[in-house]
Amino acid sequence: MRWSFRPSRISAMGSLLWPWLCAASVALSLLMLATLLTLLATRGLGHFWPAALEEATLHSGETVIGQPVRETPLPNTAGIERLYFTGNRDIDGASWRWVALDDIDTVAVPDDLIRLERSPWGDFIGRLEAVESEGQRFEDAAAWAFVARALTLPDSQRPNAQLQLTAANGHTITQPLSGVTLFQAPNAMSWGQKVVVWSERIWQFLSEGPRAANTGGGVWPAIFGTVLMVILMSVIVTPFGVLAAIYLNEIAHQNRLTRLVRIGVRNLAGVPSIVYGVFGLGVFVYGIGGSIDSWFFEDALPSPTFGTGGLLWASLTLALLTLPVVIVATEEGLARIPDAQREGAVALGATRLEMLTRVVLPMATPAMLTGVILAVARAAGEVAPLMLVGVAKLAPQMPVDGEFPYLHLERKFMHLGYHLFDTAFHGEDVQAAIPLVFATALLLVLIVLVLNLTAIFLRHYLRRQRGNEC
Amino acid sequence: MTPPRLPFLRQPLRLIHDRIATGLITAGGIGVLLAILAIGVFLIWETLPLLAFGDAFSLSTLSPLAWGTLKAALAAMLFATPIALGAAMYSALFMSTRLRSRVKPILELMEAIPGVVVGFVAGLLLAPWVERHLASTLLVIVWLPLSAALAGGLWYLANARLRQWLPLSWAGVWLMPWLAIMVTLALWLSPLMEQAWFGGDLRRLLDQQYGLDYATRNALIVGIAMGFAVIPSIYSLAEDALADVPASLMEGAQALGASRWQALWKVALPTAGPGVFSAVMIGAGRAVGETMIVLMASGNTALFSASPFEGLRSLSASIAIELPEASPGGLTYHLLIFAALSLFIFTFLVNTLAEVVRQRLRRRYQRLGGKL
Amino acid sequence: MKGNGLKRYRLRFNQHYRLWLAGGLLFFCACAWGQPSPVGGTLGAVGSDTMAGLMLRWGEALHHRYPDITLQFQAGGSASAPTALVAGTTRFGPMSRPITERERQQFIERYGYPPHELSVARDALLLVVHRHNPLASLTRKQADAIFSTSLDCGGPQPIRRWEDLLPADQWPYGKIALHGRNLASGTHRLFQEQALCNGQFRRDISEHPGSSAVIAAVGESPNAMGYAGYNHLNPMVRALPLINDKGTAITPSVATIQDDTYPLSRDLYLYVNLPPGERLPPAEQAFLELIFSDEGQQIVQAAGFVPLPQTQRSPLLLGD
C-alpha cells in the first residue's frame, strides 16, 4: 500500500478545520437532543404551574382578564399581539382572546382574581362576589373561606351552595358549587402554595382519567393501557424469541441456510413498523379475529368481537414487531458463551436439554433480559401499527375490570403515544390541548428513556460482572 | 463424549426428555421463523387480487406517494448523513475515551425518542416557526458549519493555556454553548440580512420572483425532523465501523508522517468504507419507513414536486390514516397493502445489502488482525 | 457446592416453566371467555367519531344525575352505528349524517320497523382563514373555485391567489395555502358533497388527520384557508361568512346554524331502536330526557356544537 501526502496549503487548512466540523456535529446532535428534552420538560411541567392572572385594561375601556400564553407579530402590519387564556366559554363563546399590545393601556395583577375549573363549561376566570348557601350569604373573606372549606370535603358531603361570579366584562353568573372541581387564586398564592398545587395537579394528571372528552383531566387509562399492552407483549415475545434464538444458535446446523435466516431475522428489525401493522390488521384482525367471531361469537355478528382491533391483536402485532430484537439480543448472549462450558457439561454426562437449561440459559439470562427490555422500550413508543390494530380515542372501559373474566382481550384500549397524536390532531380545541400534549409527550419520553437506560445499565453491569468468563 | 453411566431407570427417561425438548425447541424455532416469513407471504398474497382488478390507473395513484416517500427520505438523509458521519468520525478517532463512553450511549438514546413526539414537535411547533422565520432558518443552516470552522480557527490562534483548557478531544461538549450562542446571534441578525438581501420578506421574494410555493408543512421540516430521528442509527453503526479499524493501520499511517486527519481520511475511511456505507443504507431504510413523523409534519399533499418548500405524502402515512377505513377486499385496501409490500421489499433489500457489506467488512478486519 | 448449583438451576427452570404455563392458561381462558360484558345499569351507544365528545359529556351528566346509570360509548365512526343497531348490540346509534336508505332497509329487514330518527344537535362546516384576514365573505361558487379543480358549482375559473379575492395591499400573501381533512374522514366527504357540488378536490390541499390540526395550521399561517367542523372553531382563526343563493352573506353563528340559513349546516342524529307501541325502559328514557333538556342542550354548546332551536326541544316521550 502506498500513501501520498501532498503538502498543499489548502489540504493542510482542511485537515486542521475538518475535525472541528466533526466535533460540531456531535455538539449539534447533543444540542438538538437537549433542546427537545428541555422543551418537553418546561412546556410539559410548566402547564401545571398555577400561572399568574393578568387584568389588562384596553384603551377602549374594556378589561380583559386572563393568563397570558404567548405573543406573535401581527401579520401585514407592525406590532405584536398577545394571546390570553380567558376561560368563560359560556359568557364569551370562546376561551381565548388575542389582544394587540398597542391596545393595552395598563396591566395589573390583582390578588382577588380567581380561576375555577367546572363542568360542563371548563374554566372560569374572574372574581368571586359572594356565596349563597341555605339562605345565608357570605361575602369577601367569608366567601373564600367557605369555598375553600367546602372543596376539601368529598363530593357527597358538600353543602348545596351557589357562587356569585363576575367576569371581566361585568357579566355576573351563578355557579352551583357541585360543578366546581378546582378553585384557586394564583395571584394570592405564595411560592410554597404554588409548589403544592403544582405537584397536586401533576399527580392528578397521572392518576385520573380524561375529562370533558379528552380536553382535561389526566392520562391514567392511557398509562394503564400502554403498560398492560407492553406486559402482554413481553409475555408473548419472550418465550418465542428465546426459543427461536436457541434453535438458531444451539440446535440448527450452522450452514448457509442458517446464516441466511439469521440475516433475514436481523433485517426484520429494520422493516417499517407500519408494515407489521398492516400484517396485524390483515391476518390477526380480519383473518383470525374474523374466524373466531364466526365460530364463537356468531350471535353478536355483524358487530365484531375479536374481528376488530383490540388489546390481544395489538399485543400480538407488537410481539411480532419486537421478535427480531429479542432473537438478536439472545443470540448475541448465546454466542458469547464459550463452547468450553457446553462441552464441559456434556462431558459430565448432561443431555442437551440439561446442558441448555442448567448451563447455557442461566448464563444467557442477562442477554435475554436486555433483549426484552429493549423490545419493551421499542413497543412503548410505537404508534403507527397501533393505529391499525386496536387503540381507541377514548376507551371508558378499562381492559381490566371486576367483570368476569377480568381481562378483556377483545377490548380497545388507550395508549399514551396515540393519545398524544389524538389530542394534538383530533381534539376539540387544539390550543387548549397543546399543554396537555406536551405533558403526555414528556411522560412517554421519560418512560421510554428509563426503559432504555435500564437496558444499557443492565448490559453494562452484567458484562462487567462476567467479564472474566468471556 | 460418552456420558458416564447413571442408574438404570433414569437413563432412558432423561433421553426421552431430551428428545422431546429438542423437538419442541426445533418446532418452536421453525414456527417463529415461519411466522416471520408469513409477513412477506401475506403481503404478496393480498396484493395478488390487484392483478384481477387489472387497473393500471389505480397503481398510478400510488406514484405520487412513492415519490413523496423518496423525497422525504432524501431530505432526511441530506440533513442526517453529514451530521451523523461527522459525529461518528469525531467520536471514533478524536474524542477522549472517557467522554466517548458517555456520549455514545446518549446519542444512541436519541433513537429511542418515539416518532410521535418528534412528529408532534415538528408539525405543531417547528413548522409554524420556520414559516415565520424562513430566512433565519436557512441562515442558521449555512451559519452552523461556518461557526464551527470559526471556532477551529480561533482555537489555533488562542494561546496554549486556553487550548489545554479546551482540548479538541472534548470539543464535542464545549462547542455546545458556542453553537447555541452562534445560533442566537444568527437569529438576531437575520431580520437585518433579510431586509438587506431579500427585500424584507424571503417568502414573498420566492413567490414573486421564482413562483415557488411555500407550504407550512413541507419537505424541509420533514427532513429536519426525520433527520433528527435517523442520525442516531447512522451514527451508531458508522462509529462502530470506524472505531473497529485496526489500530495498527492508523498508527502505521501516523508513523509515516500523516496527520491524524490524513490518517482518518486516507486510511480509516477507506478501510471502514463498507461499514459506513451500510450505516447510511440502514438509515435510509429507516427514513423510508418512518410513519408518524411524516404523517404529522408533511401536510400529506400528494404532489409531484421537487421543491423543498412544498408538502409531500408518503406511502407509510397513507397506510396509517386510510387503511383502517378501507373496507377489506376493496380496491383501496389492496392498493394500500401493495404500498406496504413495496415498503417491505425496499427496506428488506436495503437492509440485506447493508448486512452483507457489514459481514464482509468484519471478515476484512479479522484478516487485518484487529479486534473483532 | 455442585449439588447446590444444580438445585438452584432446576428451581429456576421450574419457575420459568410455571410462569409460562400460567401466562398461557390465562391467555387462553381470557380468549375463550372474553365476551361483551352484560349490560347492568349501563347504557350502550355505538357510533360517530365526531359526536364522541358530545356523547361522553352527556354520559358524564347522566351519571351525575342518576349515579347508578353509566353510559358506555364506543366511537367507531358513523358507519358503525347502523351495523350495531341492526345487530342489536346497542339501542342508541349516534351519527353525524342521516342513515342511508340501504342501512335503513337492513334494519327494517331484521326488525320489521324503521329505526327512530332524532335530531339531537346541530353542526356546520366552516371555511376558516387566519384571524386577521380581512376577507369579508365568500360565495359558494368562489369556495368551489378555491378548493376544486372541476368547478361543478359553476365558478368561471379556479381561484389560486389572494389577489383574486382581495386587493393586493390588504393581504399580500400570494398563493392560497389550502388545508383540509384526509380522504377517509366524514368531513372530507361532506365538504365534497355540499361545498364542491360533488366535484374533485385540488391535489395540493394539505390533508390533515384531524380537524383541530386544520385549525392549528390555518391559525399559524396568514396565507391559509381551510375547512373544519364548527365544534373545532377557536379564536386562532376566523370563520368566513358564506353568501347564500339570495345574495346575503351569512355568518356562521348559533342563530344561523340553528335555523339552517347558514348554507353548510347539518343535523347530528341519534338513531334509536324502539318497536312501535312500546316505551323505552326508564334508564334510556332518562337519557333522552337529558338530551332534550336545557342542561343537555347546554352540554351541546359546551362541546362546541350548536343546540337545537327551542321549538325542536320537544319533551320527548317515545311510544306515547
Side-chain angles (χ1 to χ4, degrees), chain A residues 3 16 267-268 349 353-354, chain B residues 14 18 36 112 156 261 266 352:
Chain A
W3 311 106
L16 287 184
N267 287 350
L268 278 172
L353 176 67
E354 287 160 346
Chain B
R14 286 175 63 225
D18 185 50
I36 291 176
Y156 288 114
W261 177 258
K266 304 234 157 130
T352 309

Side-chain angles (χ1 to χ4, degrees), chain A residues 52 109-113 144 184-191 193-194:
Chain A
V109 191
D111 273 357
D112 61 342
L113 294 182
W144 284 62
Q184 53 174 231
N187 295 354
M189 279 186 201
S190 69
W191 249 82
Q193 282 170 321
K194 282 189 179 179

Side-chain angles (χ1 to χ4, degrees), chain A residues 442-458:
Chain A
L442 178 67
L443 185 64
L444 183 63
V445 167
L446 280 183
I447 291 178
V448 173
L449 285 191
V450 165
L451 283 170
N452 271 286
L453 282 176
T454 321
I456 289 177
F457 280 116
L458 196 72

Side-chain angles (χ1 to χ4, degrees), chain A residues 76 81 89 394 397 403 425-426, chain C residues 37 56 132 170 209-210 212 302:
Chain A
N76 210 19
E81 59 180 345
R89 266 249 320 265
L394 276 157
Q397 295 167 295
E403 273 171 35
F425 280 70
H426 289 281
Chain C
S37 48
L56 288 164
H132 290 294
Q170 274 189 34
S212 53

Side-chain angles (χ1 to χ4, degrees), chain A residues 186-447:
Chain A
N187 295 354
M189 279 186 201
S190 69
W191 249 82
Q193 282 170 321
K194 282 189 179 179
V195 171
V196 172
V197 171
W198 181 68
S199 35
E200 273 173 8
R201 290 186 66 191
I202 290 180
W203 173 244
Q204 277 177 356
F205 176 73
L206 295 177
S207 64
E208 283 182 3
R211 246 183 307 122
N214 278 3
T215 51
V219 291
W220 167 243
I223 300 178
F224 186 83
T226 314
V227 170
L228 186 68
M229 191 252 329
V230 161
I231 290 176
L232 270 178
M233 179 218 77
S234 31
V235 167
I236 301 167
V237 79
T238 315
F240 285 110
V242 170
L243 221 55
I246 292 178
Y247 171 72
L248 271 184
N249 209 57
E250 306 283 326
I251 291 179
H253 294 283
Q254 302 300 314
N255 52 21
R256 189 172 274 266
L257 183 68
T258 328
R259 260 214 311 283
L260 265 180
V261 167
R262 199 166 282 149
I263 291 183
V265 169
R266 227 168 251 267
N267 287 350
L268 278 172
V271 167
S273 53
I274 189 78
V275 174
Y276 287 93
V278 171
F279 179 77
L281 183 74
V283 171
F284 295 144
V285 176
Y286 292 152
I288 302 178
S291 312
I292 292 181
D293 272 2
S294 58
W295 294 333
F296 300 113
F297 300 103
E298 212 180 348
D299 45 334
L301 282 176
S303 78
T305 309
F306 277 98
T308 177
L311 184 58
L312 176 65
W313 304 137
S315 314
L316 272 176
T317 307
L318 284 186
L320 204 59
L321 170 78
T322 50
L323 204 53
V325 180
V326 177
I327 296 181
V328 168
T330 312
E331 259 217 285
E332 266 170 21
L334 290 175
R336 217 176 271 275
I337 297 168
D339 276 342
Q341 298 275 353
R342 297 190 183 93
E343 284 156 10
V346 174
L348 287 171
T351 62
R352 175 142 64 181
L353 176 67
E354 287 160 346
M355 179 261 282
L356 280 178
T357 52
R358 296 179 192 181
V359 179
V360 173
L361 277 189
M363 286 178 74
T365 317
M368 283 169 5
L369 219 60
T370 318
V372 172
I373 294 176
L374 284 179
V376 165
R378 168 132 198 233
E382 277 299 347
V383 177
L386 294 180
M387 289 172 73
L388 302 183
V389 291
V391 283
K393 176 192 186 68
L394 276 157
Q397 295 167 295
M398 296 280 234
V400 173
D401 61 18
E403 273 171 35
F404 190 76
Y406 311 119
L407 176 63
H408 301 271
L409 289 176
E410 83 288 356
R411 280 193 188 163
K412 292 191 184 269
F413 62 102
M414 288 179 78
H415 180 273
L416 270 180
Y418 185 74
H419 184 71
L420 193 164
F421 169 69
D422 187 71
T423 27
F425 280 70
H426 289 281
E428 284 169 12
D429 184 350
V430 63
Q431 194 65 39
I434 279 186
L436 283 176
V437 176
F438 268 110
T440 316
L442 178 67
L443 185 64
L444 183 63
V445 167
L446 280 183
I447 291 178

Side-chain angles (χ1 to χ4, degrees), chain A residues 70 72-76 81 83 89 94-98 119-121 178-179 210-213 215 232 235-236 238-239 242-243 292 297 299-303 305-306 308 312 316 348 353 357-359 361-362 365 368 393-394 396-397 401 403-405 407-412 421-431, chain C residues 2 6 9-10 12-13 16 20 23-24 26-27 29-38 49 52-54 56-57 60 64 71-75 83-84 86-87 89 110 130-132 169-173 181 208-216 220 222 231-237 295 298-305:
Chain A
R70 63 192 169 104
T72 51
L74 285 166
N76 210 19
E81 59 180 345
L83 177 64
R89 266 249 320 265
S95 20
W96 306 88
R97 173 86 187 259
W98 286 96
S119 62
W121 283 107
S178 56
R211 246 183 307 122
T215 51
L232 270 178
V235 167
I236 301 167
T238 315
V242 170
L243 221 55
I292 292 181
F297 300 103
D299 45 334
L301 282 176
S303 78
T305 309
F306 277 98
T308 177
L312 176 65
L316 272 176
L348 287 171
L353 176 67
T357 52
R358 296 179 192 181
V359 179
L361 277 189
T365 317
M368 283 169 5
K393 176 192 186 68
L394 276 157
Q397 295 167 295
D401 61 18
E403 273 171 35
F404 190 76
L407 176 63
H408 301 271
L409 289 176
E410 83 288 356
R411 280 193 188 163
K412 292 191 184 269
F421 169 69
D422 187 71
T423 27
F425 280 70
H426 289 281
E428 284 169 12
D429 184 350
V430 63
Q431 194 65 39
Chain C
K2 174 90 192 160
L6 272 181
Y9 286 145
R10 182 179 299 162
R12 195 181 281 183
F13 176 63
H16 279 219
W20 293 357
L26 190 77
F27 198 69
C29 292
C31 259
W33 291 321
Q35 298 178 17
S37 48
D49 233 352
L54 189 55
L56 288 164
R57 284 194 163 107
E60 280 174 32
H64 203 80
L71 178 85
Q72 291 187 339
F73 177 67
Q74 202 186 331
T83 329
V86 171
T89 48
R110 169 85 192 258
H130 189 268
R131 57 188 172 276
H132 290 294
D169 56 324
Q170 274 189 34
W171 206 244
Y173 286 97
R181 287 297 314 276
H208 296 269
S211 277
S212 53
V214 176
I215 299 283
E220 294 292 352
N231 60 324
H232 294 277
L233 184 68
N234 72 18
M236 308 298 127
V237 297
E295 186 193 351
Q298 206 182 33
I299 290 173
V300 170
Q301 211 166 356
F305 294 103

Side-chain angles (χ1 to χ4, degrees), chain A residues 453 456-457 460 464, chain B residues 91-92 95-108 169-170 235 239:
Chain A
L453 282 176
I456 289 177
F457 280 116
H460 194 70
R464 210 160 35 173
Chain B
S91 81
M95 204 183 259
S96 83
T97 336
R98 219 175 99 214
L99 184 62
R100 181 171 170 250
S101 68
R102 305 261 161 81
V103 165
K104 199 174 177 217
I106 292 181
L107 282 181
E108 282 169 350
S169 57
W170 281 78
Y235 162 81
E239 212 263 4

